Amino acid sequence: MKLLVIEDDKATNDYIADGFRREGHSVDQVMTGHEGLVQATVGSYDVVILDRMLPGLDGIALLKTLRGAKNKTAVILLTAVDFVDDRIEGLNAGADDYLGKPFAFGELSARVAALVRRPQMSDEPTVLRARDLVLDRLSRKVTRAGQVIDLMPREFALLELLLRRRGRVQTRTMLLEAVWDIHFDPQTNVVETHISRLRNKVDKPFDVPLIETLRGSGYRIDTE
Amino acid sequence: MSASARTTSGPRIRSTPLRLTGQLVGVFSLAMIGCFGASYFVARQTIEAGLRAEIVQTETSLKDAVSQADFEDRFTHLAEATPRRVMLIEWRSEDGRPLGNATGLPLSPTFSRSGEDALTGNDPTAADSYLLRSTPLWDGQLILARSREPIVELGETFAAVVLVGLIPSLLLSAILGIWVARRMEDRIEAIRGTLSRMQRGDLSARVPTHSRDDDLGRIAGAVNEMGDDLSAAMDSLRQVSTDIAHDLRMPIQRVQVLLDQIGETGSSCDQEALVARAQAETGRITRTFRSMLQIARIEGGGAAPLIEAVDLNDIAETMVSVYEVAAEETRQTLTLHPASAPAIVNGDRSLLQQVLANLIENAIRHCPTGSQISVALDASDPVVLTVADTGPGIPEDEREKVLRRLYRLERSRTTEGSGLGLSLVAAACNLHGAELELGDAVPGLKVTIRFPT
């Protein structure tokens, strides 16, 4: 995957770039908005990681220019202020996702992965599978090894999301946003509790656990 | 504020009220003079027409004579009976024999105006100005010159009216105008002075308030209100800075210690544990910092709330579903009593979610195991949201204080939490115009939020 990091703080820029390089991606780094705009227009990137506050041309203006030129590259906006109205402003300007500073690299990496292979709703299958687990999105039925598993609506939504984004890490905040439409960080570890409930029903009675915890970043249902 | 604007206005009057007064007095004077001039002209025309009629009438009476002798007789009588001050009368026969009370008057077949000098020389018994016409009569020329005294008198009367009436009234209005303008200027100066004091940082500066509710009074009121708002915003900002300094110093200190320990320890296992603790600390710092910023933003009016019609039933259902498992972990029960009808309020969905999250988290955190927490909605008018628990509650004299930033009850010092949860709830309620009440659930805490209708 080819990434462009537009961030004026050298330490943060390197932190992001090094992280993605370690994951095996190719990363270009620029420090100003003007360079960023040129680079994003000329190079063909899979994802642009864009800081909102940049000297010269700021992130929102850059994004609007880029979108105005019909450039559809996926963009994640990084920002020091991440209250709801700022987030909406960013999304309206054409950002695909929005992440508040400070963030852990795991969070950014998971969100980038979610962007790149974000499947179209229409070509998604109605039946999702992982090993011996089958989730039918139409009849809202879940079975594992032929056994019917009774799930509460939110547990179903949680499992469905993990299956739809199979193989990719889902962070706590991503799950909160997708399942509950909550865009702030609760003090209590509510996601852990919900995952542990889900595990009790989906994993505990069976030999092989499906839901994997990645320390410090999130959860994943792995393919094999 | 630009220097050029100030310098170029040098010769013009800088005070708006003064300039307006001057213009008003000028326009008023012109209008008065125009009025007086017009009426003088009309009156003069009327009088002059009368004088002409008098001349014509006199001519006619003399033309009526039946013979030369009758005419001369009539003429001599008339000339004797007419004072020179009123009319000069002369008949000059063709042989040059003059008759009448004047001699050598000029001939003029049409009405003409003549000064005294041209007619009589410097004669004290004559008038200053005459209206004159000559007409041929009985082998000679009849010349009649009617005194223009009435017209001169009219002019004098008008001049007197202007002097006695107009000029003093103009003077009076100018003086009054200047006085009013100066007073306005003083009031404007008071507002300007207050603004410049505020600009220099003295936010306590206020315009002395007049009881009058005129335009300047309203501007002064608005300036004072702005001052109040600015001070409130500054106070809130100052409070936030103090809070941040106070409350973030400790966790930063702890991170510092942990980083030192990481540097000193040789064991990678210890290092991993220390890193995890440092990360937890920085996470807490971020959350506290974010909450403070958010509260300051809501209170300072900087947040543009996404006001939309939201159903509190939906929000409560979401938040209860998020937290009920957390409550079960600590063997508490969290139940929802939704309203039977949609509980629609105008608000910011995310902020209302946070309000409920904070109230539920507070209850879970501060209540012992086995407690019951209930979230209830009443969709009647007004919409009321209640979060009640069966925990220890908050002593009555502490209820005001817990809404303050970073305030924590003595017994809660050891539990997790920033002391910002209820401050955010209070700020969000304020933003939504909702009324927040902390009450007693006997036993336990009952938080009631009444939304505006």
Side-chain angles (χ1 to χ4, degrees):
Chain A
M1 187 164 29
K2 203 176 156 199
L3 298 153
L4 173 65
V5 182
I6 309 171
E7 159 70 73
D8 60 321
D9 180 60
K10 182 93 173 61
T12 311
N13 198 321
D14 290 344
Y15 171 67
I16 297 168
D18 291 348
F20 281 111
R21 284 192 189 114
R22 261 200 302 278
E23 287 187 355
H25 304 295
S26 130
V27 186
D28 290 340
Q29 294 171 259
V30 294
M31 311 269 287
T32 69
H34 292 287
E35 282 177 84
L37 182 59
V38 171
Q39 202 61 37
T41 313
V42 175
S44 52
Y45 294 95
D46 296 295
V47 178
V48 173
I49 293 153
L50 172 64
D51 187 35
R52 187 175 170 141
M53 305 254 255
L54 288 168
L57 185 69
D58 79 278
I60 293 280
L62 192 160
L63 187 54
K64 283 183 176 161
T65 314
L66 205 61
R67 294 301 187 230
K70 302 271 181 284
N71 188 315
K72 293 201 174 67
T73 313
V75 173
I76 291 192
L77 210 53
L78 299 181
T79 176
V81 277
D82 63 338
F83 300 127
V84 178
D85 40 340
D86 300 307
R87 193 170 55 81
I88 296 216
E89 191 197 350
L91 296 182
N92 283 344
D96 297 271
D97 204 353
Y98 197 95
L99 187 57
K101 287 179 186 174
F103 55 87
F105 179 76
E107 181 76 40
L108 179 61
S109 161
R111 283 173 185 267
V112 166
L115 274 188
V116 173
R117 280 175 293 166
R118 178 176 280 177
Q120 294 301 306
M121 290 302 276
S122 51
D123 13 300
E124 276 192 284
T126 55
V127 177
L128 302 168
R129 289 167 209 276
R131 292 176 200 269
D132 50 352
L133 181 112
V134 181
L135 179 142
D136 188 327
R137 301 173 72 194
L138 289 183
S139 65
R140 306 192 70 77
K141 246 194 189 155
V142 179
T143 56
R144 184 158 184 195
Q147 244 174 285
V148 175
I149 301 173
D150 199 16
L151 292 181
M152 305 287 282
R154 306 278 178 185
E155 293 167 342
F156 182 89
L158 202 52
L159 181 63
E160 183 187 2
L161 190 79
L162 288 170
L163 284 170
R164 267 172 54 206
R165 301 182 181 170
R166 204 166 24 205
R168 281 170 284 163
V169 183
Q170 301 302 303
T171 65
R172 293 191 299 127
T173 52
M174 286 164 82
L175 292 174
L176 277 171
E177 284 170 21
V179 178
W180 288 278
D181 191 26
I182 288 178
H183 296 272
F184 58 91
D185 201 5
Q187 310 238 335
T188 318
N189 292 335
V190 283
V191 178
E192 281 83 332
T193 325
H194 282 277
I195 290 283
S196 109
R197 288 299 172 99
L198 185 60
R199 277 193 173 129
N200 283 347
K201 293 183 180 176
V202 173
D203 279 346
K204 213 173 172 189
F206 305 93
D207 296 334
V208 186
L210 278 175
I211 304 169
E212 192 185 344
T213 305
L214 292 106
R215 247 191 81 213
S217 46
Y219 306 93
R220 175 172 66 184
I221 289 186
D222 221 341
T223 21
E224 289 316 316
Chain B
M1 284 295 135
S2 81
S4 63
R6 277 191 187 169
T7 50
T8 52
S9 66
R12 292 170 59 198
I13 301 175
R14 274 193 225 155
S15 149
T16 307
L18 214 53
R19 195 176 63 236
L20 288 177
T21 307
Q23 286 170 353
L24 203 62
V25 169
V27 168
F28 181 62
S29 315
L30 282 177
M32 286 288 269
I33 287 167
C35 262
F36 272 101
S39 44
Y40 171 74
F41 186 71
V42 169
R44 203 182 121 145
Q45 289 293 104
T46 313
I47 291 172
E48 190 155 328
L51 295 182
R52 286 177 187 205
E54 219 174 298
I55 289 174
V56 171
Q57 205 183 336
T58 311
E59 280 171 0
T60 314
S61 73
L62 290 173
K63 278 178 189 164
D64 287 347
V66 289
S67 66
Q68 171 96 23
D70 180 29
F71 162 69
E72 286 190 18
D73 192 35
R74 282 191 194 191
F75 184 82
T76 314
H77 274 290
L78 182 66
E80 276 168 10
T82 309
R84 285 161 63 83
R85 182 171 292 282
V86 176
M87 194 186 278
L88 299 175
I89 303 172
E90 184 183 355
W91 181 73
R92 231 166 18 229
S93 64
E94 270 169 6
D95 52 10
R97 183 170 49 99
L99 277 176
N101 63 5
T103 51
L105 295 177
L107 293 178
S108 166
T110 56
F111 287 104
S112 72
R113 202 180 298 168
S114 259
E116 169 200 21
D117 297 346
L119 304 180
T120 63
N122 231 341
D123 179 2
T125 61
D128 289 342
S129 157
Y130 289 91
L131 186 68
L132 179 140
R133 188 164 89 159
S134 61
T135 178
L137 195 65
W138 296 107
D139 302 332
Q141 289 285 336
L142 173 70
I143 310 154
L144 296 175
R146 175 62 173 101
S147 157
R148 287 179 72 249
E149 203 86 328
I151 293 177
V152 173
E153 271 168 21
L154 177 78
E156 280 165 5
T157 309
F158 266 91
V161 166
V162 167
L163 277 175
V164 176
L166 181 61
I167 292 180
S169 77
L170 281 182
L171 270 177
L172 188 68
S173 64
I175 291 167
L176 268 173
I178 289 170
W179 181 69
V180 167
R182 290 266 176 241
R183 286 202 40 171
M184 294 261 283
E185 252 190 328
D186 286 349
R187 292 176 66 194
I188 292 171
E189 184 52 31
I191 295 173
R192 201 197 59 77
T194 306
L195 283 172
S196 84
R197 276 174 66 197
M198 282 181 183
Q199 196 186 8
R200 284 196 301 271
D202 177 11
L203 290 182
S204 65
R206 294 290 179 276
V207 184
T209 43
H210 298 270
S211 50
R212 259 175 300 171
D213 181 33
D214 56 5
D215 46 0
L216 281 182
R218 284 196 296 275
I219 291 175
V223 167
N224 287 350
E225 265 172 46
M226 184 189 78
D228 291 346
D229 288 355
L230 275 179
S231 322
M234 280 302 286
D235 285 349
S236 139
L237 200 63
R238 207 167 292 136
Q239 182 67 42
V240 172
S241 331
T242 316
D243 293 347
I244 289 174
H246 187 269
D247 225 60
L248 291 183
R249 198 180 302 214
M250 284 316 291
I252 290 172
Q253 174 66 45
R254 285 197 290 270
V255 172
Q256 177 75 50
V257 170
L258 288 166
L259 290 175
D260 284 351
Q261 287 175 340
I262 291 167
E264 283 162 13
T265 182
S267 133
S268 67
C269 188
D270 285 352
Q271 270 182 357
E272 219 170 274
L274 288 170
V275 166
R277 277 174 60 195
Q279 279 171 339
E281 287 290 353
T282 52
R284 212 164 309 154
I285 292 171
T286 307
R287 265 203 300 276
T288 306
F289 192 63
R290 200 170 278 180
S291 305
M292 280 180 184
L293 274 180
Q294 195 180 14
I295 293 169
R297 222 158 106 116
I298 296 170
E299 284 179 347
L306 305 160
I307 297 296
E308 51 179 343
V310 290
D311 187 351
L312 282 179
N313 275 335
D314 284 350
I315 293 179
E317 196 273 323
T318 305
M319 298 323 290
V320 167
S321 89
V322 169
Y323 283 101
E324 64 188 348
V325 289
E328 280 168 36
E329 291 294 303
T330 47
R331 285 195 293 285
Q332 294 158 330
T333 53
L334 173 63
T335 47
L336 172 66
H337 306 280
S340 46
I344 308 292
V345 296
N346 279 323
D348 177 333
R349 175 179 294 276
S350 182
L351 206 51
L352 291 170
Q353 283 180 341
Q354 275 188 69
V355 164
L356 258 172
N358 287 1
L359 292 176
I360 296 171
E361 276 180 6
N362 264 347
I364 292 177
R365 195 177 297 141
H366 298 298
C367 291
T369 50
S371 301
Q372 283 155 34
I373 304 161
S374 79
V375 175
L377 273 163
D378 182 356
S380 60
D381 204 15
V383 173
V384 181
L385 167 69
T386 319
V387 179
D389 62 51
T390 56
I394 297 175
E396 198 162 352
D397 56 328
E398 299 266 27
R399 282 177 199 156
E400 275 290 311
K401 296 181 194 161
V402 293
L403 298 179
R404 283 191 220 149
R405 271 189 281 261
L406 305 171
Y407 186 87
R408 302 176 69 183
L409 294 181
E410 205 46 53
R411 61 164 192 264
S412 317
R413 292 269 164 208
T414 49
T415 56
E416 177 96 357
S418 60
L420 288 168
L422 281 175
S423 308
L424 184 94
V425 171
C429 285
N430 206 10
L431 184 74
H432 284 86
E435 186 193 318
L436 172 66
E437 184 197 319
L438 303 186
D440 203 334
V442 251
L445 176 67
K446 181 177 174 186
V447 181
T448 311
I449 300 174
R450 281 180 200 87
F451 286 87
T453 50

